[in-house]
Amino acid sequence: MKGVSLARSPVKFYRLGLLAVFVLGSLLLLWAARVVLLPFIFAIVLAYLLAPLVELFVKHRIHRVPAILLAYALVSLFITAMIVYMVPLWIQETVKMIHLIPALTKQLQWTWNYWLMRFHQAPIPSSVRQAIDEAGVRWENKLFTLSKQLVTAIFGVLPGILSVIISPILAFYLLKDMNRIRARFWQVVPVDWQPSVYVLALDIDRALNGFIRGQLLVALFVGILSGLWVQILGIPLSLLIGAIAGFTDVIPYVGPIAGAIPAVVLGLEQSPLKALYAILGFVAIHQLEGTVIGPKVMGDSVGLHPLVVIFAILAGGEIGGVAGLLLAVPAAAVIKVILGHLYRRLII
């Protein structure tokens, strides 16, 4: 038996080497083709979200293709209802915001000039005044650069519309051939690896399920609470502000700040106190999200350290832009699960 084991060990290492070369080559190929991967990523996410609904219909003895079409019909009905009832209101409020921008700009310019005049009249040593002036110029340049980057990012989202159009078609084929894809996958995996790979797949599914579906529900709660708080304060465009807050909430750390900016700016037009109330309300909402809503809905499915989350967001934004920001945290969660399984299998 020992002779057989020793004879088979080179073959085993040879297979592992081939597998490592294959995985590395696949990763390099994906990296080279990363520009065209966006519709496929959207399709995978869409198929992942619709898979439970499709499987539910299949369990009720509906054939897979009609089940997929029925799921698509329900989602399309929901989106149509959103378009019919919500989008016109959002458009109206967006037009109102566009009309308010000149007045807001004038108000902010007046406030800036007022405090600048007060600053120059204050008895401050010349060296301190010069340092503050230089810091103000640097921050002004940074804000200008940030505004340019924001506009560029907004226009950079437009090519993604094509990906959104193509992704439902790709998701249809993924859902249709789901069983065949699973069968082919298990044919490739060696028999002695299948129990470990099955546990790994369950852990990845748990992490993605907790993040993707949970994050959507959390964002919905945040959008509703933000809109209600702005409405209570009497700040205009509450519906649009709530939609912005819910949409940006899917980006950890950065999103809540971006979602609060419109409410604070519009509140500042009415009074500094109302802007302060808006800030306090958004802080309270996100504290509620982090301590109550998030743990209840998502649990500890992702379990990433805040430093890892921040690094993933920065790296994702640098690599993939807006799409990279959205996909950074779930990708980091999947990598964490895979590394954890490799550590337990190869080291412990």
Side-chain angles (χ1 to χ4, degrees), residues 105-117 268:
T105 306
K106 186 177 180 180
Q107 177 70 25
L108 291 174
Q109 185 66 42
W110 182 88
T111 305
W112 172 263
N113 293 334
Y114 172 76
W115 287 107
L116 191 63
M117 181 184 65
L268 190 61

Side-chain angles (χ1 to χ4, degrees), residues 18-207:
L18 284 179
L19 179 62
V21 171
F22 174 76
V23 171
L24 181 60
S26 300
L27 292 175
L28 291 175
L29 180 62
L30 291 175
W31 176 257
R34 63 188 183 277
V35 178
V36 298
L37 287 180
L38 193 59
F40 292 92
I41 294 173
F42 284 156
I44 292 172
V45 173
L46 181 60
Y48 186 80
L49 292 173
L50 292 180
L53 185 60
V54 172
E55 296 299 330
L56 178 64
F57 292 151
V58 170
K59 286 182 181 179
H60 286 78
R61 299 183 179 181
I62 300 176
H63 291 292
R64 179 163 289 272
V65 172
I68 297 171
L69 295 176
L70 181 58
Y72 270 56
L74 292 177
V75 173
S76 300
L77 184 63
F78 174 76
I79 294 175
T80 302
M82 290 285 293
I83 292 174
V84 170
Y85 293 104
M86 302 296 290
V87 172
L89 297 177
W90 287 337
I91 293 175
Q92 290 177 9
E93 297 202 347
T94 304
V95 172
K96 291 179 182 178
M97 178 173 282
I98 292 173
H99 288 304
L100 284 174
I101 286 176
L104 287 173
T105 306
K106 186 177 180 180
Q107 177 70 25
L108 291 174
Q109 185 66 42
W110 182 88
T111 305
W112 172 263
N113 293 334
Y114 172 76
W115 287 107
L116 191 63
M117 181 184 65
R118 293 287 300 271
F119 167 71
H120 286 297
Q121 292 175 351
I124 301 175
S126 59
S127 58
V128 176
R129 187 187 302 276
Q130 182 180 358
I132 295 175
D133 286 337
E134 291 175 356
V137 171
R138 286 197 300 269
W139 276 105
E140 186 176 355
N141 293 332
K142 287 182 179 180
L143 288 174
F144 179 71
T145 304
L146 182 62
S147 300
K148 289 173 60 178
Q149 292 175 350
L150 181 61
V151 173
T152 304
I154 291 172
F155 283 101
V157 174
L158 296 179
I161 296 176
L162 181 62
S163 301
V164 174
I165 295 173
I166 297 176
S167 57
I169 301 173
L170 301 176
F172 174 83
Y173 287 106
L174 285 174
L175 291 168
K176 176 178 175 292
D177 298 328
M178 185 69 69
N179 293 331
R180 187 182 302 175
I181 294 172
R182 288 173 182 165
R184 292 289 179 86
F185 174 77
W186 290 115
Q187 288 176 359
V188 173
V189 178
V191 176
D192 55 339
W193 287 21
Q194 288 186 3
S196 298
V197 173
Y198 182 75
V199 175
L200 173 63
L202 285 179
D203 287 344
I204 291 176
D205 179 72
R206 189 179 298 112

